[in-house]
Amino acid sequence: EVVYSEENEFVRIYDDRINDIFINIYGFSPFESDSYIGYDFDDNCFRVYFDYPELIEDVYILDYNVQEDEYTATLVAKGHYYFTDEYLQELEKNHLKDIFNEDLYAFKKDLKNNGISYEDIASLTYSDVK
């Protein structure tokens, strides 16, 4: 699902494997039933939006920058931070970035199979489609 808003342009990705990773890490699902992962075209970044930051050390958004191959966290009312080595090892052990990259590849393949260019979709803005 591609979304264009005044703030940004992104694709919503639904993948139960990502939910399973965080159940393994936290022991519960940090998402509501209609959770999704966002991939921001402009930032080349995946964003995982947690619904229960009060239960997971105030982490509100987990960002994975594809180009930089780097995870960061947005904490509630505190800004951006880097994760501990132990947390990053958990993400690696659970192959989170591999799943992100698989989902991005599948999205691009779906577009191509439907005669749509990824570059065209990614370059559109809210003002182009409103």
Side-chain angles (χ1 to χ4, degrees):
E1 178 181 355
V2 179
V3 178
Y4 296 93
S5 70
E6 291 181 13
E7 293 80 32
N8 62 1
E9 302 78 35
F10 64 97
V11 61
R12 289 183 183 185
I13 297 172
Y14 300 87
D15 190 330
D16 289 337
R17 298 177 300 171
I18 295 170
N19 187 44
D20 293 343
I21 287 171
F22 292 104
I23 290 173
N24 286 338
I25 291 173
Y26 299 120
F28 66 93
S29 174
F31 307 112
E32 296 281 332
S33 59
D34 189 27
S35 65
Y36 69 90
I37 308 311
Y39 173 75
D40 189 303
F41 297 123
D42 291 336
D43 295 339
N44 194 19
C45 187
F46 283 91
R47 294 203 169 89
V48 179
Y49 299 89
F50 294 109
D51 294 321
Y52 304 104
E54 67 279 3
L55 299 176
I56 49 177
E57 301 174 23
D58 291 331
V59 174
Y60 177 63
I61 302 171
L62 177 144
D63 289 319
Y64 173 68
N65 185 307
V66 176
Q67 184 173 342
E68 302 293 325
D69 188 26
E70 178 179 69
Y71 290 99
T72 56
T74 301
L75 305 183
V76 176
K78 295 182 184 176
H80 294 283
Y81 289 85
Y82 293 94
F83 289 106
T84 64
D85 289 341
E86 293 82 14
Y87 192 84
L88 293 173
Q89 288 172 358
E90 279 295 312
L91 298 178
E92 289 299 315
K93 181 177 91 176
N94 285 283
H95 308 285
L96 182 59
K97 72 177 164 183
D98 296 333
I99 293 170
F100 285 155
N101 288 318
E102 289 171 14
D103 288 339
L104 183 57
Y105 175 79
F107 172 68
K108 289 178 178 181
K109 185 177 176 184
D110 285 346
L111 288 174
K112 185 176 180 178
N113 289 342
N114 287 290
I116 302 169
S117 161
Y118 169 80
E119 290 75 19
D120 289 344
I121 291 291
S123 65
L124 290 174
T125 64
Y126 177 74
S127 60
D128 294 328
V129 298
K130 71 175 182 173

